[in-house]
Amino acid sequence: MICVTGCGYDSHHRNPCDIEHKEGLSEYLLLIVKTPAWVFINNQRIFTKPNMVILFDQNTYIHYGCDTPNYNDDWIHFYLEKDSSDISLSSLQLPFNQPLYPPDIPRLSRFIQMITQEYRFPAKHSKQILHCLTFAFLSALTEYLMRSNPLIFQHKYYRALLNIRTALYNNPANLWTISDMAHSVNLSVSYFQHLYKQFFSTSAQTDKIHARLELAKFYLSHSDMNICTISSFCGYENEIHFMRQFKKFEGITPSDFRKKAPGK
């Protein structure tokens, strides 16, 4: 289990700062530094750009700071319980003591915000919640660092289209049209479709179909609703179109899918 021993979200230092731990720390220290700063790596002072992440190993020399006012960071101190067999930082392949520049810092920062809120106002299950949140944060950081094209996450329209995609999967039965989606972010239909395919490696139209079919498969597996009702519930105007599309994309009819579903 990951045990959080201290954390902070959106911390500010009015004056230039110089933070040093000559003997290191007994726990890990992870920083998201949102302003220009510097850090000592192999006895060299390295200047870093805003939105830098660094994970300091246990019992290692730590020295970082900034030469200008208004230093801003998020931070977590944590360690792994000795009997932890369900997680290791090496399995996540996160490099220690190295400035990293993952995309989508706002999303990573929100993890720290949730961790900090849970840590500051503990409840009965806070230890387990902190473990889950911290593991999710470290896993998301790993995924971002492994992405082949991190510049996608920095595109000015990425967040807006991601919100549309999330809404689509949350409510696939809605009347989703490409023109309406494009209009909601003030883009032409052609440019919207181009960006959507670039960001998510699929078209918006195909995503709409997949979202509806995923919902249909859930209700085929976990309810006694008839095919016609499921078809309407998932946004299809008629049952025949639903069955044809299901067979085309899933390779099986809805009835046969239901028969093979676990527990049916």
Side-chain angles (χ1 to χ4, degrees):
M1 178 173 285
I2 302 173
C3 297
V4 176
T5 60
C7 52
Y9 167 72
D10 207 31
S11 301
H12 289 265
H13 297 279
R14 289 185 179 181
N15 301 318
C17 61
D18 187 323
I19 301 169
E20 185 178 20
H21 302 280
K22 292 183 179 180
E23 304 300 324
L25 299 167
S26 60
E27 66 266 21
Y28 300 102
L29 169 61
L30 187 141
L31 304 172
I32 298 180
V33 184
K34 303 173 183 177
T35 50
W38 50 260
V39 60
F40 272 83
I41 306 292
N42 297 325
N43 296 317
Q44 290 187 332
R45 194 185 200 218
I46 307 296
F47 287 92
T48 59
K49 298 179 292 185
N51 297 326
M52 180 271 293
V53 175
I54 187 165
L55 174 62
F56 291 105
D57 201 356
Q58 296 170 299
N59 305 308
T60 189
Y61 177 73
I62 297 173
H63 194 183
Y64 65 94
C66 67
D67 297 329
T68 56
N70 299 317
Y71 170 87
N72 178 211
D73 70 5
D74 304 330
W75 54 277
I76 315 175
H77 290 265
F78 66 95
Y79 68 92
L80 304 184
E81 289 186 333
K82 290 184 179 180
D83 61 349
S84 294
S85 58
D86 58 336
I87 178 177
S88 69
L89 294 186
S90 59
S91 68
L92 292 172
Q93 300 180 342
L94 288 172
F96 290 111
N97 315 318
Q98 177 182 330
L100 307 169
Y101 295 93
D104 208 352
I105 285 293
R107 179 172 180 247
L108 292 173
S109 186
R110 285 195 293 274
F111 275 109
I112 308 295
Q113 182 182 25
M114 289 188 290
I115 291 168
T116 302
Q117 289 171 340
E118 189 64 38
Y119 182 81
R120 298 297 182 198
F121 305 100
K124 180 179 179 180
H125 299 293
S126 287
K127 186 176 181 180
Q128 292 83 354
I129 293 170
L130 286 169
H131 162 77
C132 293
L133 287 173
T134 306
F135 181 68
F137 166 77
L138 295 172
S139 299
L141 175 59
T142 300
E143 286 296 320
Y144 280 144
L145 294 173
M146 293 174 63
R147 295 291 175 90
S148 59
N149 188 4
L151 291 178
I152 283 178
F153 301 93
Q154 300 172 21
H155 196 287
K156 66 178 182 178
Y157 286 113
Y158 174 77
R159 177 61 57 183
L161 266 66
L162 180 61
N163 289 339
I164 289 175
R165 193 184 197 205
T166 301
L168 189 157
Y169 272 87
N170 285 340
N171 300 283
N174 286 0
L175 181 61
W176 295 97
T177 68
I178 305 300
S179 60
D180 285 344
M181 288 188 278
H183 179 72
S184 71
V185 286
N186 297 315
L187 294 175
S188 68
V189 169
S190 60
Y191 190 46
F192 173 84
Q193 290 176 310
H194 168 76
L195 289 179
Y196 201 101
K197 184 69 176 290
Q198 180 185 2
F199 293 163
F200 309 123
S201 300
T202 188
S203 69
Q205 182 64 25
T206 300
D207 238 1
K208 181 177 75 171
I209 294 170
H210 283 161
R212 289 180 172 179
L213 294 183
E214 287 301 310
L215 184 63
K217 287 190 291 184
F218 175 83
Y219 284 105
L220 286 168
S221 301
H222 298 92
S223 80
D224 294 321
M225 296 164 60
N226 62 47
I227 303 297
C228 182
T229 301
I230 291 176
S231 169
S232 176
F233 194 78
C234 294
Y236 289 90
E237 294 184 1
N238 66 77
E239 182 181 358
I240 300 301
H241 178 52
F242 165 66
M243 291 191 293
R244 287 176 177 169
Q245 201 165 77
F246 195 101
K247 178 70 180 293
K248 177 181 178 181
F249 282 84
E250 302 298 330
I252 189 173
T253 66
S255 297
D256 287 340
F257 180 89
R258 166 168 273 170
K259 291 176 184 177
K260 294 182 179 182
K264 289 292 184 182

